[in-house]
Amino acid sequence: MHKSFSKLISVQTGILFLLLLVSCNKIYDPIPGASYSAGDVSNTLAKKLAANSSYSIFNAALNRTGLYTVLDQANAKFTVFAPTDAAFTASGLSLAVVNAMPLDQLTSAINYHIIPNETITGAQIPVTVPSVEKKSALNITTTAFVPSIPTTAIPIKMSIFPSKRATGTWVNNIPVTAADVITGSNGVVHSVAVIVSPPTRVLLDTLSRDPEFTYLMAAVARADSGLTSASTSSLQYALGQPFANLTVFAPTNTAFQTLLTGAITQALVLQNVPLATAQAQAAALASTPAVFSNPALFSVLTATTVKGIVSYHVMGQRFFSVNFNATAANYPTLLNLGIPTHPGVSVSSTLVNNFGAALSVKGAANATAATAIATAAGVDRHAVNGNFFKINQVLMPQ
Amino acid sequence: MKKKLSGILLMVTICLLSLHSMAQSVTIKGNVKSVSSKEAIPAVSVGIKGTSYGVYTDEKGDFSITVSKLPVTLVISSVGYETKEQTITNASEMVMVQLGNISTLGQEVVVSATRVATKILESPVSIERISAASIQSSPVASYYDVISNFKGVDMMSSSLTFKTPTTRGFLGSGNVRFNQIVDGMDNQAPGLNFSVGSVIGLSELDVDNMELLPGASSALYGPGGMNGTLLINSKNPFKYQGLSFQVKQGIMHTDKKFRDASPYYNWNLRWAKKIGEKFAFKVTGEFVQAKDWLAADYRNYNKGTGTLASGDRLTNPDYNGINVYGDEVARDIRPIINNFAVIPGYAALIATLPTTMNVSRTGYTEKELIDPYTINFKVGGSLNYKINGNTEAILSGYMGSGNTVYTGSDRYSLLDLKMAQFKFEINSKNWLIRAYTTQENSGNSYNLTATTSFFNEAWKPTQQWLPEYVASYLDNRLSLGMNDQQAHIAARAFADKGRPVAGTPAFNQLFNFIKGIPIGKPRSGAPYGGGRFLDKTDLYNVEGQYNLSHLTKGFADVLVGGNYKQYVLNSQGTLFADSTGTIGIYEVGGYVQAAKELFNEKVRLTVSGRFDKNENFKARFTPRATALIRLSKNNNLRLSYQTAYRFPSTQMQWINLFVGGDYWLIGGNKDFRSYYGLNSNPVYAVVNNVATSQVVQVGDLKPESVTSFEIGYKGLNLNENLLVDVYAYYGQYQDFLTRRLVIQNPTNAATVRKFSIPLNSSSKVKTYGFGIGLDYKLPLNFTIGANFSSDNLTDVPAGFQASFNSPKYRTNLKFANLGFGKDNRIGFSVIYKWMDSYHFDSDFIVGEVPAVNTLDAQVSYKIPQTRSVLKIGGSNILNQYYVQGPGNPAIGGIYYVSFAYNVF
């Protein structure tokens, strides 16, 4: 008893001493938000770009559009294809022009250079065929494209296609002049040779607006045998719906006239029409796109035949000229959906300064290859749902 | 209620008329002074030897007593002074008496231990007594806090003005195992089930003494006192007369950690007057106002598993902060996200997301919701009439109102809570009868979680909020490149756009609208109802006691008593299952006690038994036996066997509260079983928030009981300078009342319901503990004291939530001087308290409470001419914030200056 009593006393004294040492009370400590980290905010792409004098126009655009704050968010990931000042100049855009551009247009253009939620270094850009599809920061509502296609107004992300070959790296058809120029806490920046313009229309819309393709569109309508773009089995639907990835070799009106005149003449001659008459009749018949809706010619231009020819001009994947090789190679077309063994089209493309400079495409039954007609921006003509080339011959599958 | 009051008044009149008054002829006048200070001593008892007749000196020390004939011998006595006898043969001269101070160690008289006045040294059970003088010399800001400096006492502060003491475990602001009895009235709020001593009760200057009985005490005080009983007695207006007041002005939150530095006001007033020899009255009032302590525990808590979770509002989308409300509502957003997979470019991201993604609504902190000001306003008074020398009739009333915060299964803002107790009592030398009522009105009180959740729904329904959140989340990831965490943060900001900011007129308008709507009463603009409860439950109690000792003299001292209690539950369906009308519950009880001196007055044996019957439960008998062994003069050993029990509280019987989230809190009355079909449509056990296939049979509830054994020693040693008090106890709980979660129709999403049902645990849990207290009187009025105590719970089965909530060890160290310097005018006291860390269980939060150290100190200066005290003091003067339970406020320092007039 005595022992335990003195023990108790010593426990008490011990506690007393302990108390003098430990006079701080602990209470629940977490300060709200304390476990949150804004990340490495001093090394964001926005800050690193701002510190880089080669991107002064791009930086001005980021500031003007407010996208600086987006790229300044450290808890995020981005892959940015940033045009240098030289690239802006090459695209004909000075700082003054950029500052004067309508803001929404500028915002769309800059957003198209950004892939959110992913950090894709130069080494990670794949060499696959077709090119990998990435979603840019540019959102457009589907109804903005083809009012004739009834869709609900859902935001879609405009696709962008980084690709790589032994000869270089591109985004869409634009050369990446230097990969991994900037690595920040929230992503990576690659330099591009010129600005990467976002497409604004779907193929159906673009082709329909171009007077050089009235025959092609008439052929498409004939191939659809009266089906409208609202019907999912129609070619028009395929060309009109914004989520597709297509490549179209679009023959000009002249190419169709040449083909049709020859074909009709041949058919008339076989019916013992004198050649001169046949030529004149054929030229008259082929002088308008209505040739495809002329009942007298239905036996010659059957829907199946026309559909076969039109399908032969469309690839079910999105290719830019830079994605083809200099030596011709065969690629399947939509025709292969019906005839899997068909050899497809043979395509070759050459580069100048890593831009696609010349593209040739040859149908299986063509004697010669057709060539793509270039604009100042090159041979590629980019639409929301695909890329197309304006060619000078109709491709013949057989 | 009016009817009942007028009934009580009628009773008073009849009683007063039916009793005759005594005839007297000679009046003796006199005055009593202190030998040391030569100042008048008020409230000194002046009695006539051989009778129980007596008077008290007034605030000037004067007395006047009328006797039938001379000579008489006057007995003049007062606590802290020697007792003097003086024989009076001539009434024409003033009787001048001077009393000398004496040591007060162990000299107090206590009543509650055996219901008859006993010297504290001879109490057969453990008891602590707090006198008005010890309240006055205590450093703490409110008299309730004085209790916590005694051994074995834990105190829960769920608000500055809401304090709940306990002994031997089961700390909680709604402690139903510890009775608080004020002037003979149980002051448990009959509907809300918490004791409201610190909210209504007595104002500080009217407290004569407090007696604390740790341990089981049902045998004398009825059901409820399982762990202890606190009795607070007011000052009789015959004894303590005159005007007293106390102004305490303080400052809190000085470090601005939780709130800006703000004043603390505590004003007290008491006025008592004797009119003639027969009649006296008193009026008391207390006003407390301050910015309340803040519950700012923002840790993330998983209520389903009862554990803390990682992250906070920014880093965890499923965050549910402890003192953040409205964020209890959480849903899995993955099903909504899956609907977005059809949009090209989304599927790839969606495939990488987890299969469940719980997101909680954004809550508001307690600081944003609750009025920072806690207010407590008490008024009370009594009319006392001396029917004859032995018999006094008392009509008294206490009313309290205020804003405070209570922690139950949730935090409750008790806004404009009103409580009143009215009593009529006649007590005589050998008997007493007492009738009282407790009238409760919950005012505008509301539940924080329900109110805030429904506020969120009223602002923007979760059904709308979630899709907005999801759309934004996906866009943030896919368009803005944000990582998961940042996308959640921005999505929340998007869905919360326009969310009313706390404190703005828009917020206040909507929040006040929702909090004003009763629970479960939907209306336009509030489809789920609001968070207000409308409790107006009342209690009526009649009791009597008779001391037969004068009849049984020579055999034993015998005491008998009984009471009848009637509860009237009235919450209009907001708390109880009383939507169709009030629910009555009656209880009846009786007790008998016999005490006998044995072995030449070496041993005093007391045996008592109590019988109680509640209309919903079988009758109970609780025995008690105590023995006091007088080892030598002022050295006593005490032994006791006590039993106690409690009937399930009114809430455990009849609560019917929809808590939200398909979750009902229900009572144990058999009507609930048939109403909800608990047995016909089986309910299944829920473990860790997951339904199991184990069917739970819901049976009848039984009262909970405890049996305890105690041994103790109290004695004066070292030349009567050292008071030692030691105890050890062992107790066993049986039919422990607890709650468990069950689920009905778990597989049917449309009809699934969860119930929290009360039940008796079949396990017998055991408690044991000890305490030691030492008080040493040093020369020159210095005293030093120390106590150390321990409470333990064992044999707790796994998974059993006992809510013992008590530290294993705690200690108090005290150093004080009751008077030094010129005329012993200066005094001080310093109290150091340490409590070990402990585990805290509650329906609200389960978690650890860290160890607590506090230092309280005061210095006082007495002005004897006006019996005034100027005091500078502070509780927790190091301003070391501490908590007494997770989710409860952090308590810091209060520093004050007080001036008290006419208080000693």
Side-chain angles (χ1 to χ4, degrees):
Chain A
M1 171 72 200
H2 259 289
K3 235 180 190 172
S4 62
F5 187 76
S6 60
K7 214 176 183 181
L8 200 67
I9 296 288
S10 70
V11 165
Q12 278 215 34
T13 348
I15 287 167
L16 237 170
F17 271 98
L18 206 71
L19 294 178
L20 293 174
L21 292 173
V22 194
S23 61
C24 275
N25 291 335
K26 267 193 291 182
I27 54 168
Y28 36 78
D29 253 345
I31 298 148
S35 69
Y36 168 75
S37 163
D40 181 3
V41 290
S42 51
N43 287 303
T44 60
L45 292 183
K47 290 201 175 77
K48 287 198 155 186
L49 277 164
N52 191 323
S53 57
S54 317
Y55 297 101
S56 60
I57 302 178
F58 189 68
N59 287 331
L62 288 179
N63 285 323
R64 205 182 147 214
T65 55
L67 290 169
Y68 179 90
T69 51
V70 173
L71 293 185
D72 197 33
Q73 183 94 58
N75 287 333
K77 281 185 195 169
F78 302 101
T79 303
V80 182
F81 295 96
T84 55
D85 290 348
F88 271 100
T89 310
S91 305
L93 297 171
S94 66
L95 179 62
V97 174
V98 166
N99 282 337
M101 267 170 86
L103 187 60
D104 56 342
Q105 198 184 327
L106 180 65
T107 308
S108 297
I110 301 299
N111 264 329
Y112 193 57
H113 291 79
I114 300 171
I115 301 174
N117 198 36
E118 279 188 271
T119 298
I120 308 162
T121 62
Q124 287 167 336
I125 296 174
V127 193
T128 51
V129 174
S131 302
V132 59
E133 178 177 12
K134 295 294 178 190
K135 299 291 179 183
S136 78
L138 174 58
N139 288 351
I140 295 186
T141 306
T142 44
T143 48
F145 302 122
V146 223
S148 59
I149 298 182
T151 51
T152 49
I154 48 172
I156 66 153
K157 315 215 154 288
M158 298 298 282
S159 300
I160 189 166
F161 299 84
S163 63
K164 189 154 63 179
R165 296 290 179 271
T167 45
T169 305
W170 296 269
V171 55
N172 293 355
N173 59 326
I174 308 300
V176 170
T177 50
D180 309 334
V181 185
I182 292 172
T183 304
S185 57
N186 58 351
V188 66
V189 173
H190 310 297
S191 281
V192 285
V194 293
I195 67 156
V196 189
S197 300
T200 52
R201 295 202 168 91
V202 288
L203 287 165
L204 183 69
D205 195 21
T206 312
L207 295 170
S208 303
R209 283 165 190 263
D210 192 331
E212 286 221 60
F213 297 126
T214 47
Y215 280 77
L216 174 63
M217 295 322 288
V220 168
R222 172 67 181 137
D224 282 340
S225 307
L227 295 177
T228 67
S229 63
S231 169
T232 53
S233 60
S234 69
L235 271 168
Q236 291 167 78
Y237 178 86
L239 293 171
Q241 70 100 0
F243 308 126
N245 280 310
L246 304 169
T247 305
V248 178
F249 299 101
T252 58
N253 290 345
T254 317
F256 269 106
Q257 279 169 347
T258 308
L259 174 76
L260 288 170
T261 311
I264 295 166
T265 306
Q266 206 172 2
L268 290 173
V269 169
L270 286 176
Q271 289 169 23
N272 294 322
V273 178
L275 181 63
T277 318
Q279 274 177 329
Q281 276 185 5
L285 283 167
S287 67
T288 136
V291 62
F292 286 107
S293 50
N294 187 341
L297 295 170
F298 275 5
S299 58
V300 184
L301 300 171
T302 62
T304 315
T305 308
V306 175
K307 191 168 188 174
I309 291 170
V310 173
S311 304
Y312 193 54
H313 288 78
V314 183
M315 290 165 63
Q317 293 163 339
R318 189 179 318 219
F319 277 89
F320 295 93
S321 59
V322 297
N323 302 132
F324 296 108
N325 294 319
T327 44
N330 281 6
Y331 296 89
T333 67
L334 294 188
L335 190 65
N336 289 75
L337 296 175
I339 311 165
T341 54
H342 193 277
V345 289
S346 164
V347 190
S348 65
S349 171
T350 56
L351 302 171
V352 171
N353 295 332
N354 263 6
F355 283 95
L359 178 133
S360 301
V361 53
K362 183 175 166 297
N366 292 83
T368 57
T371 55
I373 300 158
T375 66
V379 292
D380 294 280
R381 295 158 194 262
H382 198 200
V384 168
N385 56 348
N387 191 32
F388 72 96
F389 302 97
K390 186 184 269 190
I391 56 170
N392 58 0
Q393 276 185 48
V394 177
L395 305 176
M396 298 306 290
Q398 57 188 13
Chain B
M1 171 175 156
K2 273 213 177 112
K3 232 180 193 172
K4 296 226 153 96
L5 264 184
S6 55
I8 290 172
L9 282 170
L10 190 69
M11 251 172 86
V12 178
T13 326
I14 292 167
C15 289
L16 294 179
L17 289 174
S18 66
L19 288 154
H20 70 285
S21 42
M22 276 168 75
Q24 286 135 7
S25 53
V26 187
T27 301
I28 305 165
K29 288 185 189 296
N31 181 272
V32 183
K33 281 193 162 63
S34 156
V35 170
S36 58
S37 66
K38 303 284 183 286
E39 295 297 334
I41 319 172
V44 174
S45 159
V46 180
I48 298 165
K49 195 175 184 184
T51 73
S52 59
Y53 180 65
V55 296
Y56 295 101
T57 59
D58 65 12
E59 66 266 40
K60 297 185 190 84
D62 293 336
F63 67 89
S64 161
I65 185 165
T66 308
V67 296
S68 51
K69 62 177 191 331
L70 294 174
V72 291
T73 303
L74 297 182
V75 181
I76 299 127
S77 64
S78 181
V79 172
Y81 294 92
E82 59 181 351
T83 299
K84 257 194 179 171
E85 293 189 5
Q86 200 153 335
T87 307
I88 310 295
T89 49
N90 180 359
S92 59
E93 281 177 29
M94 281 280 280
V95 181
M96 305 305 284
V97 185
Q98 293 203 344
L99 298 182
N101 298 61
I102 55 160
S103 156
T104 58
L105 277 184
Q107 298 307 307
E108 302 108 312
V109 169
V110 293
V111 178
S112 57
T114 55
R115 280 189 180 259
V116 286
T118 314
K119 271 176 74 183
I120 195 165
L121 279 172
E122 302 202 337
S123 165
V125 292
S126 293
I127 189 164
E128 305 282 358
R129 185 176 192 276
I130 299 129
S131 65
S134 34
I135 292 170
Q136 202 49 250
S137 67
S138 160
V140 291
S142 95
Y143 72 90
Y144 248 77
D145 287 322
V146 180
I147 306 162
S148 64
N149 292 328
F150 287 86
K151 56 183 171 294
V153 179
D154 295 314
M155 177 79 82
M156 169 60 82
S157 305
S158 57
S159 155
L160 176 73
T161 50
F162 201 122
K163 316 229 167 175
T164 313
T166 191
T167 52
R168 302 190 182 176
F170 305 101
L171 182 65
S173 72
N175 183 355
V176 287
R177 293 183 178 91
F178 186 90
N179 277 344
Q180 295 184 32
I181 295 174
V182 177
D183 267 357
M185 297 181 281
D186 181 350
N187 82 348
Q188 186 184 68
L192 301 175
N193 291 164
F194 45 67
S195 288
V196 287
S198 64
V199 184
I200 66 158
L202 305 179
S203 45
E204 184 171 319
L205 289 181
D206 197 35
V207 177
D208 186 49
N209 63 73
M210 299 194 274
E211 292 184 5
L212 177 71
L213 283 173
S217 50
S218 291
L220 290 180
Y221 295 101
M226 308 272 296
N227 282 48
T229 301
L230 175 70
L231 299 102
I232 306 177
N233 299 304
S234 73
K235 288 176 174 167
N236 186 303
F238 280 112
K239 184 171 178 182
Y240 296 94
Q241 295 169 45
L243 176 75
S244 314
F245 66 84
Q246 175 175 278
V247 177
K248 208 175 265 184
Q249 301 281 92
I251 184 165
M252 300 163 63
H253 307 292
T254 50
D255 63 354
K256 300 174 186 166
K257 180 168 176 164
F258 292 101
R259 295 193 193 279
D260 286 343
S262 59
Y264 167 80
Y265 302 104
N266 183 334
W267 301 334
N268 263 279
L269 180 79
R270 181 179 184 274
W271 184 44
K273 196 159 171 58
K274 197 166 86 171
I275 299 170
E277 291 299 309
K278 301 244 163 215
F279 192 71
F281 70 88
K282 69 174 174 189
V283 179
T284 65
E286 178 170 332
F287 173 75
V288 177
Q289 195 222 40
K291 274 195 179 170
D292 207 348
W293 302 123
L294 183 67
D297 189 344
Y298 299 135
R299 290 175 299 174
N300 186 12
Y301 185 72
N302 182 334
K303 194 140 191 168
T305 58
T307 52
L308 290 170
S310 64
D312 56 31
R313 178 72 288 168
L314 283 175
T315 55
N316 191 335
D318 192 22
Y319 170 75
N320 175 9
I322 291 177
N323 292 124
V324 183
Y325 308 92
D327 55 2
E328 293 77 7
V329 175
R331 298 281 183 274
D332 182 10
I333 59 167
R334 195 54 213 262
I336 306 174
I337 285 185
N338 290 345
N339 296 338
F340 282 77
V342 294
I343 301 177
Y346 280 57
L349 171 76
I350 290 171
T352 66
L353 297 176
T355 49
T356 49
M357 297 171 71
N358 286 330
V359 169
S360 59
R361 289 295 298 261
T362 310
Y364 290 86
T365 63
E366 190 161 320
K367 190 178 186 180
E368 292 173 310
L369 297 174
I370 292 191
D371 181 353
Y373 288 99
T374 180
I375 295 172
N376 183 205
F377 189 70
K378 296 176 195 170
V379 288
S382 75
L383 300 171
N384 296 41
Y385 181 77
K386 273 217 166 122
I387 297 162
N388 60 38
N390 290 330
T391 312
E392 184 175 340
I394 303 166
L395 181 66
S396 67
Y398 299 103
M399 277 170 272
S401 168
N403 295 349
T404 185
V405 187
Y406 161 73
T407 316
S409 59
D410 190 12
R411 291 277 283 170
Y412 294 86
S413 173
L414 301 179
L415 194 60
D416 308 327
L417 172 77
K418 293 173 203 70
M419 291 274 305
Q421 287 195 296
F422 301 100
K423 177 182 80 165
F424 176 66
E425 176 180 314
I426 302 177
N427 62 59
S428 187
K429 191 179 166 193
N430 292 320
W431 54 269
L432 87 87
I433 56 168
R434 180 187 288 147
Y436 69 84
T437 176
T438 307
Q439 306 276 321
E440 174 186 310
N441 183 343
S442 57
N444 297 313
S445 301
Y446 62 95
N447 169 322
L448 282 178
T449 298
T451 306
T452 315
S453 304
F454 298 152
F455 166 89
N456 274 342
E457 295 301 326
W459 167 65
K460 188 184 274 185
T462 301
Q463 281 194 337
Q464 178 192 346
W465 187 87
L466 281 176
E468 289 180 13
Y469 185 104
V470 169
S472 172
Y473 169 81
L474 290 171
D475 192 50
N476 294 334
R477 296 219 54 181
L478 291 165
S479 299
L480 297 176
M482 293 177 188
N483 66 13
D484 180 68
Q485 184 183 97
Q486 206 67 43
H488 274 293
I489 293 169
R492 181 169 299 278
F494 178 80
D496 279 342
K497 201 171 172 193
R499 173 175 175 264
V501 174
T504 59
F507 175 87
N508 292 341
Q509 193 190 351
L510 186 57
F511 192 74
N512 291 339
F513 171 66
I514 298 290
K515 87 181 183 195
I517 296 172
I519 291 167
K521 312 266 185 205
R523 70 170 68 154
S524 170
Y528 305 95
R532 182 180 173 201
F533 47 95
L534 303 171
D535 190 33
K536 288 185 179 166
T537 297
D538 299 328
L539 166 70
Y540 300 92
N541 183 82
V542 185
E543 62 190 37
Q545 178 177 300
Y546 198 91
N547 191 335
L548 299 163
S549 302
H550 60 288
L551 302 173
T552 57
K553 212 175 274 179
F555 166 66
D557 297 333
V558 178
L559 190 74
V560 294
N563 77 312
Y564 174 84
K565 224 178 221 187
Q566 173 78 45
Y567 290 96
V568 181
L569 307 186
N570 175 7
S571 74
Q572 297 177 44
T574 59
L575 189 62
F576 297 110
D578 62 346
S579 48
T580 55
T582 61
I583 300 171
I585 304 171
Y586 76 80
E587 275 176 35
V588 59
Y591 57 91
V592 58
Q593 172 176 289
K596 191 169 173 60
E597 297 286 346
L598 297 169
F599 308 114
N600 216 2
E601 302 206 344
K602 280 278 174 229
V603 175
R604 183 176 172 86
L605 197 66
T606 312
V607 180
S608 49
R610 189 181 165 102
F611 169 90
D612 282 280
K613 166 84 180 109
N614 177 299
E615 72 170 291
N616 296 322
F617 303 97
K618 280 189 192 139
R620 293 289 301 208
F621 178 72
T622 40
R624 165 173 127 148
T626 64
L628 180 82
I629 303 163
R630 297 182 181 98
L631 302 172
S632 63
K633 186 181 180 243
N634 289 337
N635 277 283
N636 300 306
L637 192 66
R638 56 183 191 265
L639 294 163
S640 65
Y641 160 78
Q642 306 198 63
T643 53
Y645 68 100
R646 65 182 184 105
F647 293 119
S649 64
T650 51
Q651 290 193 9
M652 268 225 172
Q653 291 182 48
W654 281 107
I655 196 166
N656 187 35
L657 185 65
F658 180 61
V659 195
D662 319 321
Y663 178 69
W664 290 83
L665 202 60
I666 60 169
N669 191 283
K670 59 182 186 330
D671 290 0
F672 285 99
R673 296 203 289 277
S674 51
Y675 183 78
Y676 289 113
L678 298 180
N679 289 336
S680 52
N681 180 6
V683 292
Y684 301 90
V686 174
V687 177
N688 278 338
N689 218 17
V690 176
T692 65
S693 58
Q694 180 205 341
V695 173
V696 176
Q697 272 296 321
V698 186
D700 284 328
L701 279 186
K702 285 180 282 194
E704 171 185 309
S705 65
V706 65
T707 308
S708 89
F709 299 91
E710 185 178 320
I711 181 165
Y713 160 81
K714 198 170 218 158
L716 279 176
N717 294 288
L718 302 181
N719 215 4
E720 302 204 342
N721 281 327
L722 177 68
L723 178 68
V724 180
D725 186 18
V726 188
Y727 67 81
Y729 70 91
Y730 166 84
Q732 180 170 297
Y733 286 82
Q734 200 171 337
D735 298 324
F736 205 84
L737 282 163
T738 181
R739 282 191 168 274
R740 78 180 296 179
L741 200 60
V742 295
I743 191 165
Q744 196 173 43
N745 306 326
T747 52
N748 186 337
T751 57
V752 64
R753 282 195 290 205
K754 282 184 202 156
F755 297 99
S756 167
I757 55 165
L759 80 168
N760 295 101
S761 166
S762 55
S763 328
K764 292 182 179 175
V765 293
K766 298 181 178 74
T767 59
Y768 64 90
F770 66 88
I772 175 168
L774 303 168
D775 286 289
Y776 191 74
K777 199 165 132 326
L778 294 159
L780 302 171
N781 283 339
F782 282 97
T783 59
I784 186 161
N787 65 55
F788 184 77
S789 55
S790 172
D791 293 293
N792 302 275
L793 187 73
T794 56
D795 291 4
V796 182
F800 180 80
Q801 187 183 310
S803 301
F804 186 62
N805 304 351
S806 192
K808 188 164 186 183
Y809 300 112
R810 65 181 90 67
T811 190
N812 288 286
L813 307 172
K814 182 181 177 183
F815 181 54
N817 189 302
L818 295 172
F820 65 94
K822 185 178 179 283
D823 298 339
N824 289 344
R825 288 182 176 197
I826 306 169
F828 74 85
S829 67
V830 180
I831 295 175
Y832 181 79
K833 188 177 176 71
W834 170 80
M835 249 166 52
D836 202 358
S837 63
Y838 59 96
H839 181 75
F840 194 95
D841 281 336
S842 73
D843 289 345
F844 180 44
I845 303 292
V846 174
E848 295 302 313
V849 177
V852 173
N853 306 276
T854 55
L855 190 63
D856 303 337
Q858 64 87 9
V859 180
S860 59
Y861 181 78
K862 287 180 193 162
I863 305 157
Q865 292 83 352
T866 54
R867 289 174 301 283
S868 302
V869 185
L870 191 64
K871 189 157 83 169
I872 298 175
S875 57
N876 193 5
I877 57 171
L878 301 177
N879 208 18
Q880 289 283 320
Y881 285 92
Y882 63 93
V883 288
Q884 286 150 321
N888 281 285
I891 298 159
I894 302 182
Y895 310 91
Y896 64 86
V897 178
S898 78
F899 177 74
Y901 171 78
N902 187 24
V903 290
F904 63 88

